[in-house]
C-alpha cells in the first residue's frame, strides 16, 4: 500500500491510537477495502474486472478501480495485505468492505474458471428463462462467497480471536452484486450501511437479525443525508430515532462521518451525534432482553433478486439496471403491516 504523507515520520501513529483506545476500554475495529483498489488497478491491468466488451470500471469516467475476486494473483495480494494488517496493530475486529461484484466480469480469470468448471463460453445475455444464465448467476454467487471466506480465513488464521464482518448492505441490492447468504456465512455478524430512511431500516434490521450468526448485527448510516452531502447534518431527533430503531431490533448502531477531504473536523456534528446516542440509549436499556412478537412472516428469497418478467437482454445494458419487484412488494407489505411504536421523549 501507499503510506499517507501525513504519517511519514509518525509511522506508529495508528498503532498508538489503537493502543490508547483499548487502554480506555474501547473496542478497535480495523477497515480494509476488497475489490476496490485504485493503486493496484493502475499497477496491474491484468487484475481488473472487465465488462463483456473489455472495458473496465473506469472506462465510463468513474474514479473507482475494481479488481477481480477470481484472479489468483489478486487473491494472494489480499492475503498478504491482511497478514500485514494483522501484524501491525492490535484490533478486536476487522470490517472488510466492498465484498461484491461491481459488474458482471468477463476477464481472463473468470473466463478460464467458467471453462474449467462448466465448459464452453460464458453467457452474454441476461435471460432468466435460460438454464445457462441461471447457472452463471449461481456461479457468480458461489465465487464471491468463496472469495469472502478466503479473506475471512486469512484473518482468522493469524487473529482467531478477532471478529470479521463483510459489507452486507448488498443483501437488499439486485442480482448484479452476486450477494445472497454468502456474505453472512463469511461474517461473524451481519451489517452494512444503508441510506433509504426509517422504513428501509426497519426491514433491513429484521433481515440482518434473521441472517446474523452472532448478535448483535450492525446497522450503519451516515450523520448526513447521504455520503455525498458529507458536510450536512441530520437533525438530532432523526439521528436519535435512527439509533433507537436499531436498538429496538437488538442491533448495534453505527453513525458514519465522511470526513471532509480537507481533513477538518466539525465539532458540532460530534456533539449532535453524542446527544442522539444519549437519547437513544434510553431505549436500548428497555430492549436489552426484548424478543420479536409477530403475527405475519414475509419471505424474501435472496437467490431471486431479479425481475422474472424481464425479457432477454444484453449483459452490458441489463447489468446497469436494478429492479427487484419482490423487494418493492416486500417493502410495501412491511410498511403496511408494521405497528408504529412511539417512545415518549424521543
Amino acid at each position: 500500500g501507499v503510506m499517507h504523507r501525513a504519517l511519514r515520520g509518525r509511522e506508529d501513529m495508528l498503532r498508538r491510537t489503537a493502543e490508547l483506545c483499548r487502554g480506555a476500554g474501547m473496542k478497535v475495529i480495523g477497515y480494509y477495502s476488497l475489490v476496490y483498489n485504485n493503486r493496484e488497478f493502475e499497477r496491474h491491468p491484468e487484475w481488473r474486472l472487465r465488462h463483456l466488451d473489455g472495458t473496465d470500471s473506469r472506462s465510463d469516467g468513474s474514479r473507482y478501480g475494481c479488481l477481480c475476486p477470481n484472479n489468483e494473483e489478486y487473491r494472494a495480494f489480499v492475503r498478504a495485505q491482511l497478514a500485514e494488517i494483522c501484524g501491525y496493530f492490535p484490533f478486536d475486529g476487522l470490517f472488510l468492505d466492498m465484498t461484491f461484484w461491481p459488474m458482471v466480469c468477463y476477464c481472463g480469470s473468470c473466463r478460464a474458471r467458467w471453462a474449467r468448471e462448466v465448459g464452453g463460453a460464458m453467457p452474454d445475455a441476461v435471460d432468466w428463462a435460460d438454464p445457462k444464465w441461471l447457472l452463471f448467476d449461481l456461479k457468480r454467487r458461489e465465487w464471491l462467497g468463496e472469495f469472502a471466506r478466503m479473506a475471512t480465513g486469512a484473518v482468522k488464521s493469524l487473529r482467531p480471536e478477532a471478529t470479521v464482518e463483510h459489507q452486507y448492505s448488498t443483501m437488499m441490492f439486485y442480482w448484479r452484486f452476486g450477494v445472497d447468504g454468502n456474505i453472512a456465512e463469511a461474517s461473524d455478524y451481519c451489517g452494512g450501511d444503508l441510506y433509504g430512511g426509517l422504513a428501509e431500516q426497519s426491514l433491513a434490521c429484521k433481515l440482518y437479525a434473521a441472517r446474523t450468526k452472532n448478535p448483535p448485527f450492525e446497522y450503519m448510516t451516515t450523520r448526513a443525508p447521504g455520503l455525498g452531502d458529507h458536510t450536512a447534518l441530520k437533525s438530532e431527533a432523526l439521528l436519535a430515532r435512527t439509533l433507537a430503531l436499531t436498538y429496538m431490533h437488538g442491533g448495534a448502531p453505527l453513525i458514519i462521518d465522511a470526513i471532509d477531504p480537507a481533513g477538518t473536523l466539525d465539532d458540532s456534528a460530534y456533539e449532535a451525534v453524542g446527544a442522539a446516542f444519549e437519547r437513544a440509549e434510553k431505549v436500548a436499556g428497555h430492549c436489552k432482553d426484548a424478543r420479536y412478537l409477530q403475527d405475519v412472516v414475509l419471505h424474501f428469497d435472496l437467490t431471486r433478486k431479479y425481475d422474472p418478467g424481464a425479457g432477454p437482454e444484453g449483459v452490458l445494458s441489463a447489468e446497469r439496471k436494478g429492479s427487484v419487484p419482490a423487494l418493492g412488494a416486500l417493502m410495501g407489505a412491511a410498511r403496511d403491516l408494521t405497528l408504529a411504536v412511539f417512545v415518549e421523549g424521543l
Side-chain angles (χ1 to χ4, degrees):
V2 178
M3 182 177 290
H4 195 286
R5 61 180 179 271
L7 295 177
R8 291 172 187 160
R10 299 188 293 170
E11 287 80 6
D12 286 340
M13 188 167 70
L14 181 60
R15 181 191 291 118
R16 180 61 177 154
T17 301
E19 290 171 348
L20 289 170
C21 288
R22 297 185 88 190
M26 299 170 65
K27 301 288 187 181
V28 175
I29 307 296
Y31 175 99
Y32 182 72
S33 174
L34 295 168
V35 179
Y36 284 62
N37 189 317
N38 284 340
R39 178 176 184 257
E40 301 310 318
F41 176 92
E42 294 168 355
R43 295 178 62 206
H44 295 280
E46 71 278 12
W47 295 3
R48 296 177 185 177
L49 288 164
R50 296 285 180 182
H51 289 290
L52 180 60
D53 62 1
T55 57
D56 57 49
S57 60
R58 283 187 174 175
S59 297
D60 61 358
S62 171
R63 66 185 178 94
Y64 299 116
C66 297
L67 308 177
C68 183
N70 274 337
N71 186 284
E72 291 298 336
E73 290 184 356
Y74 173 56
R75 288 185 177 218
F77 171 83
V78 167
R79 290 191 293 269
Q81 284 212 318
L82 290 174
E84 183 178 344
I85 291 170
C86 288
Y88 172 72
F89 77 108
F91 60 82
D92 300 283
L94 196 61
F95 175 53
L96 300 179
D97 202 359
M98 317 306 275
T99 316
F100 55 81
W101 292 102
M103 64 173 70
V104 181
C105 185
Y106 288 84
C107 74
S109 297
C110 286
R111 290 179 184 274
R113 185 164 188 180
W114 174 267
R116 185 171 63 252
E117 296 181 6
V118 180
M122 298 165 67
D124 57 7
V126 178
D127 183 356
W128 299 107
D130 179 8
K132 189 175 182 180
W133 173 259
L134 291 174
L135 177 59
F136 184 41
D137 178 64
L138 174 63
K139 282 294 183 182
R140 293 179 72 245
R141 289 183 273 120
E142 287 181 351
W143 293 341
L144 184 69
E146 180 195 73
F147 176 71
R149 293 191 299 274
M150 179 275 295
T152 297
V155 177
K156 295 287 189 178
S157 66
L158 298 170
R159 300 293 298 274
E161 75 285 359
T163 60
V164 175
E165 174 196 12
H166 287 265
Q167 173 64 264
Y168 201 32
S169 60
T170 45
M171 169 188 62
M172 299 181 69
F173 296 175
Y174 71 107
W175 63 267
R176 188 193 76 195
F177 294 82
V179 172
D180 49 24
N182 48 10
I183 301 304
E185 292 167 6
S187 303
D188 287 307
Y189 57 92
C190 289
D193 56 314
L194 292 161
Y195 307 95
L198 296 176
E200 180 189 76
Q201 179 185 351
S202 178
L203 178 60
C205 285
K206 293 175 178 65
L207 291 170
Y208 282 148
R211 294 296 315 192
T212 192
K213 287 182 181 178
N214 300 289
F217 66 87
E218 181 177 43
Y219 181 86
M220 314 177 202
T221 195
T222 182
R223 56 96 163 178
L227 287 174
D229 301 317
H230 58 274
T231 59
L233 180 65
K234 294 174 183 173
S235 70
E236 183 186 314
L238 178 56
L239 286 169
R241 288 186 173 92
T242 300
L243 296 167
L245 186 56
T246 301
Y247 284 133
M248 291 168 68
H249 285 85
L254 182 146
I255 295 294
I256 299 170
D257 178 32
I259 297 173
D260 191 281
T264 54
L265 303 179
D266 181 359
D267 289 342
S268 65
Y270 301 111
E271 291 168 1
V273 170
F277 265 103
E278 289 181 359
R279 293 172 65 176
E281 283 168 356
K282 297 176 184 177
V283 175
H286 294 291
C287 298
K288 187 176 181 181
D289 298 316
R291 61 187 179 90
Y292 282 111
L293 295 175
Q294 54 212 10
D295 299 307
V296 177
V297 173
L298 301 177
H299 177 67
F300 182 36
D301 190 343
L302 295 175
T303 69
R304 300 287 190 272
K305 296 190 290 183
Y306 57 83
D307 183 355
E313 186 175 4
V315 170
L316 283 172
S317 59
E319 68 176 333
R320 293 181 171 90
K321 300 175 183 177
S323 176
V324 190
L327 182 58
L330 191 70
M331 282 289 298
R335 189 177 289 109
D336 291 342
L337 292 169
T338 297
L339 174 65
V341 177
F342 298 93
V343 179
E344 184 177 357
L346 187 61

